Amino acid sequence: NAGVMQNPRHLVRRRGQEARLRCSPMKGHSHVYWYRQLPEEGLKFMVYLQKENIIDESGMPKERFSAEFPKEGPSILRIQQVVRGDSAAYFCASSRRGVEGANVLTFGAGSRLTVL
Amino acid sequence: AQTVTQSQPEMSVQEAETVTLSCTYDTSESDYYLFWYKQPPSRQMILVIRQEAYKQQNATENRFSVNFQKAAKSFSLKISDSQLGDAAMYFCAYRTNTGTASKLTFGTGTRLQVTL
């Protein structure tokens, strides 16, 4: 029973390039969350998605960032025209259903983005 | 907006001893969850323990227990009989139990060192 799978684990991009981070939730989980962790900081919520729907994107920067969770395949966090300030660890988490009640999030190991 | 504060950037404990990590939070809500997550060098976020705000009894999980003081908005983590494998970053997190209930708000973390 594989956990939340994120790839790549490490990604290096030059300023202005695009970064795509993938997340496959745990089997049976249909809710996906993306968090960002800047160096020496806690995780910050970015976006919450269900299959083909964005439920809450209040933590997403207004420009250059987008996320999707298609009917088939992994969830994708896309960062266009990356800048050095985008360098961070990006974590994906999943849950079986909405986090109402006692459901907890299962986190992936994160993808570390370095922008040169 | 909810905030979570961890005032101890670093803590150290000797093996087999007990250590307490502090966490305070600010919220106007009465129904919420609190969590402690562990992040070892592998960066994987691992749930340590959770507490439901409406439960007066403090949560315990083996060597881990919490001291939940709702009126004081305090949620400390006690680790008993510390082991070398407990060395990690520890994050306190808050989650509302209303609305979309999707976001975890994290503190900035406490780095725990375990010495021989």
Side-chain angles (χ1 to χ4, degrees):
Chain A
N1 183 16
V4 178
M5 304 302 293
Q6 290 189 247
N7 68 82
R9 289 296 308 275
H10 302 276
L11 182 63
V12 179
R13 286 287 179 266
R14 296 190 181 280
R15 282 179 296 171
Q17 292 184 318
E18 179 179 287
R20 283 186 180 231
L21 309 177
R22 295 174 200 79
C23 170
S24 295
M26 279 187 70
K27 187 176 181 180
H29 286 193
S30 59
H31 298 249
V32 165
Y33 314 81
W34 285 94
Y35 286 80
R36 177 166 64 175
Q37 185 179 30
L38 295 171
E40 306 304 318
E41 292 189 14
L43 279 69
K44 297 282 197 309
F45 170 80
M46 298 181 76
V47 62
Y48 163 36
L49 311 103
Q50 296 176 22
K51 288 281 188 182
E52 301 184 281
N53 283 305
I54 296 174
I55 307 302
D56 183 346
E57 58 180 345
S58 57
M60 287 280 270
K62 299 295 182 207
E63 298 177 346
R64 303 187 297 109
F65 285 72
S66 62
E68 62 176 7
F69 188 18
K71 188 177 181 180
E72 301 291 337
S75 175
I76 306 284
L77 179 67
R78 181 184 179 201
I79 312 171
Q80 295 177 290
Q81 298 175 331
V82 296
V83 300
R84 288 212 174 116
D86 298 332
S87 295
Y90 291 83
F91 287 88
C92 174
S94 71
S95 68
R96 185 175 297 277
R97 53 190 169 99
V99 286
E100 294 81 10
N103 277 334
V104 295
L105 306 185
T106 301
F107 281 86
S111 293
R112 182 174 294 281
L113 171 65
T114 301
V115 180
L116 301 177
Chain B
Q2 293 83 17
T3 58
V4 177
T5 302
Q6 293 179 252
S7 58
Q8 305 155 316
E10 289 191 11
M11 292 284 284
S12 182
V13 63
Q14 282 193 319
E15 198 177 18
E17 296 296 310
T18 296
V19 64
T20 299
L21 308 184
S22 301
C23 173
T24 59
Y25 58 94
D26 188 23
T27 184
S28 58
E29 299 174 333
S30 59
D31 190 12
Y32 50 87
Y33 287 84
L34 296 164
F35 304 84
W36 278 98
Y37 279 88
K38 171 185 177 181
Q39 187 179 42
S42 67
R43 292 207 322 262
Q44 182 81 45
M45 293 291 286
I46 302 165
L47 177 66
V48 174
I49 199 166
R50 68 173 182 246
Q51 173 81 41
E52 296 151 85
Y54 63 86
K55 286 189 176 179
Q56 292 187 336
Q57 187 174 6
N58 288 325
T60 62
E61 287 287 342
N62 301 313
R63 298 182 296 108
F64 298 87
S65 62
V66 299
N67 183 5
F68 174 47
Q69 301 287 331
K70 191 171 183 179
K73 296 178 183 174
S74 171
F75 183 61
S76 60
L77 174 70
K78 186 171 85 171
I79 306 174
S80 304
D81 186 25
S82 297
Q83 301 174 359
L84 293 176
D86 295 333
M89 284 290 289
Y90 285 81
F91 291 97
C92 179
Y94 170 102
R95 195 198 86 204
T96 184
N97 203 27
T98 58
T100 56
S102 60
K103 301 176 213 178
L104 284 173
T105 301
F106 285 87
T108 51
T110 297
R111 185 177 303 280
L112 179 66
Q113 293 182 324
V114 181
T115 59
L116 293 171

